[in-house]
Amino acid sequence: MNSTQADAFFSQYPCVMNRGVRQCILAINISGGKDQLEAIKSKLASEQWKSDFLADRSGKTVLSVNPSSRTLEQTMSLARRFKSHEFGAVEAQIMAIPAPSSK
């Protein structure tokens, strides 16, 4: 991926500078019971969040919320809602990676 392609890819995702490194949030992964995850997926769909069921490294199914085309504030607000147990006792993990610096 050249720098133009990388810039185009990462521009879709909310990013933050952390210790001088641009970190982009690619997903919020939610762990919980199957029925609970189904209910969360439905609620998020009504709020127009994109999400899919994926297998984590251990093979366990998680609900992966895609924050593309959302602002950093919208994404962090959703993460805070998970932390406050608005959706029940689920575990949420923000998946962020370093992004190349823009030129």
Side-chain angles (χ1 to χ4, degrees):
M1 180 181 302
N2 64 38
S3 64
T4 302
Q5 291 169 322
D7 285 344
F9 175 79
F10 286 107
S11 70
Q12 302 173 64
Y13 293 92
C15 299
V16 64
M17 289 300 288
N18 183 15
R19 297 183 179 138
V21 177
R22 184 172 160 227
Q23 299 276 332
C24 293
I25 300 171
L26 300 184
I28 301 174
N29 290 337
I30 312 304
S31 299
K34 183 179 181 194
D35 291 342
Q36 192 174 27
L37 294 179
E38 288 281 357
I40 293 169
K41 183 173 177 54
S42 177
K43 169 79 172 153
L44 292 176
S46 73
E47 297 177 13
Q48 299 176 347
W49 284 93
K50 296 179 269 182
S51 63
D52 289 300
F53 291 107
L54 302 173
D56 68 7
R57 290 183 193 157
S58 68
K60 182 178 174 184
T61 299
V62 298
L63 180 63
S64 183
V65 182
N66 180 340
S68 65
S69 303
R70 296 291 185 139
T71 66
L72 179 61
E73 179 53 38
Q74 289 170 322
T75 303
M76 296 311 294
S77 176
L78 180 61
R80 285 188 295 273
R81 289 169 65 195
F82 284 116
K83 184 177 180 182
S84 72
H85 301 292
E86 177 181 327
F87 296 94
V90 295
E91 183 179 326
Q93 182 177 21
I94 293 175
M95 305 302 292
I97 63 168
S101 299
S102 296
K103 296 197 185 238

